[in-house]
Amino acid sequence: MNIVTLVGSLRKNSFNMQVAKTMQERYKDKLNIQIPDIGALPHFNQDDELNPPQVVKDFKAAIANADGVIIITPEYNWSVPGVLKNALDWTSRVEQVFIGKPVMTLGATPGMMGTIRAQLHLRDILVAPGIQANILPPGANEILINTVHQKVDEQTGQFVDETTLSFLDSKIEAFVDFAKTN
């Protein structure tokens, strides 16, 4: 199954990117996880939407060809980072590649709230008319990884907390089943 994973953090040692890379390695036998560089996308400009740069065309094609999308976001000022919103804005215009696409959201933070506010805002964005993603329903899709700095191996960057990994395993299984049936 081909999955595009969008990571809303550009920081070199991003915890959210570490989670994405751990997932890419952990589930490599069942998922082909591609992580595009959303930081390479130019700022969305409606003047360019009909003839966007090649990087935008490639990004939208990757999503269009994916069986599903996983979005991993930090929380900035109680919402999603601008770079993630920018990427989603590009997908909402002309070729609206998210419409009906199975999507799962999650996020990691050193804080206690586990990106809950950002994910609530992200869900609002994902149901907007130009996006209309098919979001894994709440209950099956509440992955709020708190105190992440205590759950990552400092040497390897790998996510090592077995309780959280086991929880993530069950959520990935639910997402795979959801993507296959939607």
Side-chain angles (χ1 to χ4, degrees):
M1 180 173 278
N2 292 315
I3 302 294
V4 169
T5 298
L6 306 182
V7 179
S9 175
L10 301 178
R11 188 170 65 88
K12 180 182 176 187
N13 294 317
S14 161
F15 291 121
N16 287 276
M17 182 60 81
Q18 290 170 335
V19 171
K21 289 183 176 180
T22 297
M23 291 170 56
Q24 193 175 44
E25 175 63 26
R26 187 172 181 90
Y27 307 118
K28 66 183 176 189
D29 293 337
K30 73 172 72 175
L31 301 176
N32 174 28
I33 296 177
Q34 176 187 0
I35 307 170
D37 177 10
I38 64 173
L41 298 172
H43 291 283
F44 174 74
N45 182 336
Q46 195 172 0
D47 291 339
D48 299 329
E49 70 181 3
L50 296 176
N51 189 24
Q54 189 63 44
V55 66
V56 172
K57 292 176 185 177
D58 294 343
F59 172 67
K60 290 174 84 170
I63 292 172
N65 294 322
D67 297 309
V69 177
I70 296 172
I71 302 175
I72 306 175
T73 186
E75 185 170 294
Y76 294 172
N77 300 309
W78 294 4
S79 191
V80 298
V83 68
L84 178 57
K85 178 66 167 69
N86 182 61
L88 294 171
D89 286 344
W90 274 112
T91 68
S92 72
R93 304 293 293 193
V94 189
E95 307 88 13
Q96 298 169 322
V97 295
F98 263 104
I99 292 178
K101 186 72 62 179
V103 174
M104 180 175 86
T105 67
L106 64 125
T109 181
M112 291 302 296
M113 297 296 288
T115 71
I116 193 166
R117 291 181 186 108
Q119 288 192 56
L120 289 171
H121 286 182
L122 181 55
R123 285 177 172 276
D124 286 342
I125 295 165
L126 291 172
V127 299
I131 298 180
Q132 299 172 0
N134 191 5
I135 307 167
L136 186 64
N141 183 28
E142 283 158 354
I143 306 169
L144 308 166
I145 304 170
N146 63 2
T147 62
V148 67
H149 60 292
Q150 299 170 0
K151 299 172 181 176
V152 174
D153 182 287
E154 291 181 25
Q155 301 297 333
T156 65
Q158 290 292 305
F159 205 71
V160 294
D161 184 74
E162 284 303 321
T163 301
T164 306
L165 284 169
S166 177
F167 177 73
L168 188 58
D169 290 345
S170 70
K171 298 302 181 179
I172 290 296
E173 284 298 322
F175 180 64
V176 167
D177 291 344
F178 177 74
K180 285 179 179 176
T181 61
N182 290 285

